[in-house]
Amino acid sequence: DRAVAGGAGSFGELVIDALYEIGQVVVVQFTVHGFYGEEVTDAIAIVGMMGAEKTPPPVVYLGLAKYDAELGHYHLEIPTEELKAGLYFLDITLNDGSHFQELIELVEPEQE
């Protein structure tokens, strides 16, 4: 929900897909379609968030995204209050083996 047009920068060869301030909730939402384009509403969607700047990347969040029929997509909210500023991989793995990953950045909130 916080995508940055053209990306927010880069990390190695990867483009940062979204930018959040610490304290903002990372909203994960997506749809899943089968081979013939039909909507899939019963997939198991494991969502992980890992630090991108350390090897091996530390897991800071692990949860399940569930399909929300009212919203019409899979939905999960990840709190960030306890996390540090930096780059994180947002990783979605489905029970059919499909795997998606985005790079996000958490920054300190702007001081007013």
Side-chain angles (χ1 to χ4, degrees), residues 15-80:
V15 173
I16 298 169
D17 297 299
L19 184 68
Y20 294 86
E21 288 185 356
I22 294 172
Q24 289 180 318
V25 174
V26 175
V27 177
V28 180
Q29 47 193 21
F30 56 92
T31 57
V32 178
H33 292 84
F35 183 77
Y36 296 104
E38 74 280 6
E39 187 172 32
V40 176
T41 60
D42 61 350
I44 298 171
I46 301 169
V47 178
M49 192 164 144
M50 289 84 61
E53 300 171 279
K54 293 183 181 176
T55 303
V59 176
V60 297
Y61 181 87
L62 190 62
L64 291 174
K66 297 182 181 178
Y67 184 79
D68 186 316
E70 191 173 303
L71 296 174
H73 56 251
Y74 288 81
H75 184 89
L76 179 71
E77 296 183 359
I78 302 173
T80 63

